[in-house]
């Protein structure tokens, strides 16, 4: 059985002021009428899958239940993480849940906030990855790069393609532009997607080999969890003792069972407002206008997202303007990375 594990613990502060606090980007309809977590589940709709498992913080539990329930035909299992410990512990606990559904479960691990334009291509890639996972592989999706990106990590494939997958040789951190150009030219490197397919049991076995303490504590946090009506609340004492780490560092960089399935399906992690601009439909002035009450005069190449008030611009180029219920962002696209600093300043004010 193929079981989705949806990771929904991110804060998404690079999309402030909309993505913030209790409403991070995965719960927002940024691209379509559905929220991003809903889109994540909908792109699996035509596959034969089990009940989805969603891992999130306790503060988001009701939002997850509502939004997932609106699009999922099967009742989700919602795991509540007592605190953020990165992806590896969250996945380990979710694998314990998956094995309660099916001891031989193959899981597809997906962040809740990605965009994939070509859903049929993605679904075929999932099926290819699942076939390899059935044989004991830990599969990651390598996004076929379209430009020398310096904002993504990379994975390197080696050998020839077998059963639709390559051997995972190594992970590479975000490179400088010269290295990124080399990676693109070689054809051996793909962007690190953060999406995975493997047997839940194989993942846990590998975690026991490469990070036994994390495995023990994650399993214990599940075994001692409090089961509520719609939620599984992991044991905070056990989970709190875990030294947090990503799945890449904890397992994927060390395992000898790693495989890569290359994916060319219009993927984007929508990590910033310019990224959202890039994937959105433009008007004749190369603007992306969201909202019914935006007036853009002599304005070009800009992303403008209105709210309740009228937004009017005159003589602007290459800017981002986003209104929320209580805040307004106005920034040059080239400086938008500093929005995280703004979010941090506001966070410190609240303390």
């Amino acid at each position: 059985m193929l079981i989705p594990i949806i990771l929904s613990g991110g804060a998404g502060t690079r999309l402030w002021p909309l993505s913030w606090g209790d409403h991070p980007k995965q719960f927002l309809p940024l691209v379509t009428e559905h929220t991003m977590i809903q889109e994540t589940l909908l792109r699996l709709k035509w596959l034969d899958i089990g009940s989805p498992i969603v891992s999130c913080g306790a503060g988001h539990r009701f939002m997850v239940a509502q939004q997932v329930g609106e699009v999922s035909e099967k009742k989700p299992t919602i795991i509540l993480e007592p605190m953020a410990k990165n992806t590896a512990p969250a996945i380990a606990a979710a694998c314990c849940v998956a094995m309660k559904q099916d001891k031989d479960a193959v899981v597809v691990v997906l962040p809740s906030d990605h965009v994939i334009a070509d859903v049929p291509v993605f679904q075929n890639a999932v099926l290819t990855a699942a076939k390899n996972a059935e044989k004991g592989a830990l599969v990651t999706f390598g996004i076929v790069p379209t430009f020398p990106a310096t904002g993504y990590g990379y994975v390197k494939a080696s050998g020839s393609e077998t059963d639709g997958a390559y051997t995972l040789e190594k992970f590479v951190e975000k490179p400088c532009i010269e290295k990124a150009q080399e990676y693109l030219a070689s054809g051996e490197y793909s962007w690190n997607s953060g999406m995975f397919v493997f047997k839940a049991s194989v993942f846990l076995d590998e975690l026991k080999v490469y990070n036994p303490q994390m495995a023990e504590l994650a399993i214990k946090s599940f075994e001692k969890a409090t089961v509520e009506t719609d939620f599984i609340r992991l044991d905070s004492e056990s989970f709190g003792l875990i030294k947090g780490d990503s799945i890449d560092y904890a397992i994927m960089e060390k395992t000898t069972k790693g495989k890569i399935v290359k994916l060319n399906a219009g993927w984007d992690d929508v990590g910033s407002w310019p990224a959202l601009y890039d994937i959105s439909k433009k008007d004749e002035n190369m603007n992306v206008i969201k909202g019914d009450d935006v007036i853009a005069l002599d304005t070009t190449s800009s992303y403008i997202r209105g709210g309740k008030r009228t937004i009017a611009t005159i003589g602007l180029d290459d800017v981002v303007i986003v209104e929320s219920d209580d805040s307004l962002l106005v920034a040059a696209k080239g400086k938008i990375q500093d929005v995280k600093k703004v979010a941090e300043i506001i966070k410190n004010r609240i303390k």
Side-chain angles (χ1 to χ4, degrees):
M1 183 186 294
L2 185 65
I3 298 177
I5 293 176
I6 311 299
L7 303 178
S8 186
T13 55
R14 286 184 294 171
L15 288 176
W16 183 88
L18 285 192
S19 178
W20 173 248
D22 292 336
H23 288 80
K25 64 176 179 173
Q26 60 266 33
F27 303 119
L28 301 174
L30 293 177
V31 181
T32 71
E33 71 275 11
H34 292 109
T35 67
M36 300 192 77
I37 192 171
Q38 290 176 329
E39 287 287 353
T40 303
L41 279 168
L42 286 171
R43 68 179 66 110
L44 298 171
K45 186 173 181 179
W46 306 114
L47 299 176
D48 183 17
I49 60 173
S51 298
I53 299 166
V54 185
S55 185
C56 67
H60 295 150
R61 64 192 186 278
F62 297 118
M63 202 177 306
V64 168
Q66 177 185 343
Q67 292 195 6
V68 172
E70 288 172 355
V71 297
S72 176
E73 296 174 356
K74 299 180 179 180
K75 185 178 177 63
T77 300
I78 301 172
I79 303 174
L80 306 183
E81 302 170 47
M83 67 284 293
K85 290 289 184 176
N86 216 318
T87 54
I91 293 169
C95 282
C96 293
V97 175
M99 290 180 67
K100 287 290 186 180
Q101 285 192 47
D102 177 1
K103 64 182 178 62
D104 295 318
V106 173
V107 298
V108 51
V109 179
L110 303 172
S112 58
D113 54 3
H114 289 181
V115 168
I116 295 177
D118 195 330
V119 172
V121 168
F122 168 74
Q123 290 175 337
N124 286 332
V126 170
L127 294 176
T128 297
K131 289 177 182 177
N132 282 270
E134 288 281 7
K135 300 173 185 177
L138 299 175
V139 185
T140 187
F141 294 100
I143 306 301
V144 177
T146 53
F147 64 95
T150 58
Y152 297 136
Y154 286 70
V155 288
K156 184 181 181 184
S158 66
S160 57
E161 185 182 33
T162 304
D163 294 330
Y166 297 84
T167 297
L168 170 60
E169 181 175 324
K170 65 178 179 179
F171 283 73
V172 182
E173 297 293 337
K174 296 175 183 178
C176 63
I177 185 62
E178 291 80 13
K179 277 291 183 185
Q181 289 168 341
E182 287 180 26
Y183 296 161
L184 183 64
S186 75
E188 297 176 326
Y189 291 83
S190 305
W191 293 337
N192 180 7
S193 69
M195 301 185 292
F196 304 89
V197 179
F198 38 69
K199 275 190 170 182
S201 59
V202 173
F203 175 86
L204 290 173
D205 287 344
E206 288 291 275
L207 190 61
K208 290 172 185 176
V209 171
Y210 296 109
N211 199 323
Q213 184 182 40
M214 179 187 291
E216 179 185 356
L217 291 169
I219 292 169
K220 187 180 291 185
S221 74
F222 166 72
E223 291 174 341
K224 297 175 67 177
T226 302
V227 180
E228 301 175 2
T229 306
D230 296 312
F231 312 106
I232 295 177
R233 192 182 295 271
L234 298 176
D235 176 59
S236 59
E237 182 180 357
S238 304
F239 203 78
L241 293 173
I242 296 173
K243 184 179 179 182
D245 209 349
S246 70
I247 181 177
D248 295 352
Y249 288 133
I251 290 185
M252 296 304 295
E253 291 188 355
K254 301 168 183 174
T255 185
T256 60
K257 299 180 179 181
K259 296 284 187 180
I260 296 174
V261 169
K262 294 189 177 181
L263 178 63
N264 189 1
W267 171 90
D268 199 293
D269 70 348
V270 197
S272 66
W273 290 115
L276 195 55
Y277 170 86
D278 289 340
I279 66 172
S280 300
K281 186 177 179 180
K282 320 293 190 298
D283 65 14
E284 66 275 10
N285 295 312
M286 294 303 291
N287 294 318
V288 175
I289 307 292
K290 301 288 184 179
D292 298 327
D293 205 1
V294 176
I295 302 167
L297 301 180
D298 191 24
T299 297
T300 55
S301 303
S302 296
Y303 184 96
I304 306 172
R305 191 179 191 100
K308 296 178 180 178
R309 295 171 293 182
T310 300
I311 292 180
T313 64
I314 304 172
L316 297 179
D317 176 67
D318 222 28
V319 299
V320 173
I321 299 174
V322 180
E323 181 194 13
S324 70
D325 289 344
D326 57 5
S327 303
L328 177 65
L329 169 68
V330 182
K333 259 201 235 156
K335 294 287 188 178
I336 198 64
Q337 68 274 9
D338 288 341
V339 75
K340 288 190 74 174
K341 297 179 182 178
V342 174
E344 189 64 28
I345 291 169
I346 294 172
K347 183 179 177 181
N348 290 334
R349 283 181 183 173
I350 297 172
K351 288 181 179 178

